[in-house]
Amino acid sequence: MVQQAGAVTAEDGAGRANAKSSLMRSPQFSSFVILVVLLVVFAVADGNFLSPLNISNMMAFLPELGIIALGMTLLLTAGEFDLSVGAVFALAPVVVMLLVQNAGVDIGVALLAGLLLCIAIGAINGVIVTKIGISSFLVTLSMLLIVRGAALYITQGFPLKSWDQPGFFVTLLAGSFNIGAFRFYTSLWWFIGLSLLAVYVLRYAKLGNWISAIGSNRNAAVARGVPADAVKIWLFILTSVLAGLAGMISAFRISAASPVAGTGYELEVIAMVVVGGTALTGGRGTILGTIVGALMLRAIRNGIVLVGVPGLAYNIFVGVIILAMLILHALLQKNAARS
Amino acid sequence: MMQEVLRLQNLQKSFGSVRALKNASLTLKEGEVVALLGDNGAGKSTLIKAISGVFPIDRGDIYVRGEKVSIRSTREAMDLGIETIHQDTSLAPDLSIARNLFLGREPVNLKWLGVFAPLDLAKLRDAASALLKRVGISKKLDADALVSTLSGGERQSIAISRAMQFAAKVIILDEPTNNLGVEETHGVLRFVKEMREAGHSVLLITHNIHHVFEVADRIIVMRRGEIVAEQTVADTDLLTVESLITGADLSALMKRAQ
Ligand SMILES: Nc1ncnc2c1ncn2[C@@H]1O[C@H](COP(=O)(O)OP(=O)(O)OP(=O)(O)O)[C@@H](O)[C@H]1O
Ligand SMILES: [Mg+2]
């Protein structure tokens, strides 16, 4: 009976006998298989794919989009999404660095200001979506324009001059360390830690039950006393804050803040999430799937360069693979429903 | 002897220019089953949504056990002991039966963590199985099955067992036998009787007058947002009730025909 293992509930199934088969049919599992296949294909096609340098490179980029994808997964599970994350990714570091470089504000205070800005953006998104009842597509699309426009305007369109003062916060967000021949950034720890937290919340905590219920049938959740609007507003805030955090990590890593950073990230992040098996319509979310999705998109972007696909043709491949994944999920789900 | 549990006084509710409720008043006593009848659009669902905190009323007073209350949210209604099973399905299809049964009242460990507290999954599953057994549907259903895999009747049974488990003072059922098979329908009616015997009050909305005569003590009829009649079941008959609902004087018609 428990065929759609994609749902949060499948893992605590008492039907141990079919737990294995339900896992095999789950969307995150099929994504995982495809990820492995892709990794093998790239590794065979190009010997450098699994080289320490290349793996280190992939692991440097992975957390930046991956962290946003965690927030987006929770938001999508609750039935909403956020198109303004790419713009927030740019605005937060731009504001922080302007405050430090031009206004002489202490970096800690500037980061706090950046955090408050992200909270405000998320709260505005959430309040308009829930209290005024405009779809999150329209609200966050407008917010994308406002936030991106603000980043461009306050910088006059120029990237900020480089940031070369190491310090506690830089080490905390973008410090690096070596393990053998591999070079990792502290952002990887952030991604791992936040992932564990997100898995816990969505699958095991009371809040996760609420999030899934809200996305599955909002009226039913409200009728049971679940504060649906408040949960959604907090998820919008969380997603914005994570986008800002990712932006800071990226800016510290490359020692610069650009007003056009993160352009198109919103769609890339949503692609990671749905490729992992989270339903765009809400109710069914999987953090493990999102991690697989984030790894997959990272590997694809990296791998197709190595195997020699012309740069301008990247997106064709990325699009085709995403589409193939979604078709696969849909077919699997149809199958599950029939049997 | 029969204590008053719920009293509504002059409730009013409009949706834009639609006056869905105009001055609706009623009382519900302990251990009493009251049937709320009326044609489509009469305002029955609006009335019970107001009591269960789905939306605020425009005007009027609600008393629970003689005390004036204001019900601003579904949570407040539940805390006052009012459990409602809504006409439009009240389950989340992507969640398991067990998770639906405890939605909003999840058993948790480490309570101090608030919304971040971990669910007590063992307790959740055991309580759900026990409950399904009690309602008599455990043979067919696994507490971990997703609600999306259930039939309409099975879903209704789940919603009803959920109201049962929290043993509320007042249970409101909005067309609970809709889409149900014969056996499940009898299950629901049996449940209503059980609730009365246990001292709970039931407000039952239905379009099936036969069910009313089987389980209800009292009948309240609504028409166009108003309560137009109130009768004890013992003092009335099917024909009278039908004419009250439609507003046509059927019994007079019948007499003329004879
Ligand atoms: N959310 C709403 N917005 C606008 N109008 C509404 C809303 N809910 C109900 N109404 C209107 O209020 C009136 C009463 O509706 P209600 O749902 O209470 O009827 P009902 O007695 O439950 O009918 P039924 O037997 O068909 O369920 C109807 O005219 C309906 O169109
Ligand atoms: Mg109704």
Side-chain angles (χ1 to χ4, degrees), chain B residues 185-241:
Chain B
T185 301
H186 282 293
V188 171
L189 297 179
R190 198 183 62 226
F191 159 74
V192 171
K193 289 177 194 162
E194 267 177 32
M195 286 290 110
R196 170 172 50 198
E197 269 147 36
H200 302 294
S201 315
V202 180
L203 190 58
L204 173 72
I205 299 180
T206 176
H207 286 289
N208 188 321
I209 302 184
H210 299 284
H211 293 166
V212 172
F213 279 88
E214 201 180 324
V215 298
D217 301 309
R218 208 145 52 89
I219 291 173
I220 291 176
V221 181
M222 286 187 78
R223 213 184 301 146
R224 293 199 207 96
E226 277 171 307
I227 288 172
V228 292
E230 195 176 333
Q231 301 190 316
T232 49
V233 167
D235 301 335
T236 191
D237 57 66
L238 229 133
L239 220 54
T240 316
V241 173

Side-chain angles (χ1 to χ4, degrees), chain B residues 13-16 18-21 36-49 55 87 174-175 178 205-207 222 224-225:
Chain B
K13 176 77 190 175
S14 298
F15 298 106
V18 182
R19 294 184 64 196
L21 277 185
L36 188 58
L37 304 176
D39 251 336
N40 293 126
K44 307 180 296 293
S45 294
T46 305
L47 181 71
I48 61 116
K49 280 179 181 165
F55 44 57
Q87 181 174 18
D174 195 352
E175 307 199 25
N178 250 3
I205 299 180
T206 176
H207 286 289
M222 286 187 78
R224 293 199 207 96

Side-chain angles (χ1 to χ4, degrees), chain A residues 32 38 58 107 113 121 152-153 165 167 236 265 313 323 332 336:
Chain A
F32 180 72
L38 277 171
M58 281 198 280
I107 176 76
I121 292 170
L152 285 166
Y153 183 71
Q165 300 149 287
F236 272 109
Y265 275 19
L323 204 53
L332 281 175

Side-chain angles (χ1 to χ4, degrees), chain A residues 10 27 71 86 126 132 148 158 206 215 237 249 253 255-256 316:
Chain A
I132 304 185
R148 178 69 69 192
F158 294 109
K206 178 158 133 179
I237 291 176
I249 288 173
R253 184 174 56 78
S255 302
I316 302 175

Side-chain angles (χ1 to χ4, degrees), chain A residues 9 12 14 200 204 217 222, chain B residues 74 91 99 115-116 119 125 144:
Chain A
T9 44
D12 47 67
Y200 166 75
Y204 300 107
N217 182 349
V222 170
Chain B
T74 49
L91 303 177
R99 282 181 181 245
V115 294
F116 295 104
L119 297 174
R125 192 174 306 132
D144 287 305

Side-chain angles (χ1 to χ4, degrees), chain B residues 16-85:
Chain B
S17 61
V18 182
R19 294 184 64 196
L21 277 185
K22 315 168 194 163
N23 270 330
S25 304
L26 64 82
T27 51
L28 193 59
K29 297 198 190 89
E30 201 168 54
E32 182 185 41
V33 176
V34 171
L36 188 58
L37 304 176
D39 251 336
N40 293 126
K44 307 180 296 293
S45 294
T46 305
L47 181 71
I48 61 116
K49 280 179 181 165
I51 310 170
S52 52
V54 173
F55 44 57
I57 47 173
D58 298 338
R59 203 160 297 151
D61 299 313
I62 302 176
Y63 298 85
V64 173
R65 288 192 186 271
E67 236 175 84
K68 190 170 162 182
V69 296
S70 66
I71 300 176
R72 283 163 310 219
S73 70
T74 49
R75 164 68 59 185
E76 287 181 353
M78 286 159 71
D79 290 344
L80 287 167
I82 302 172
E83 285 284 331
T84 309
I85 297 170

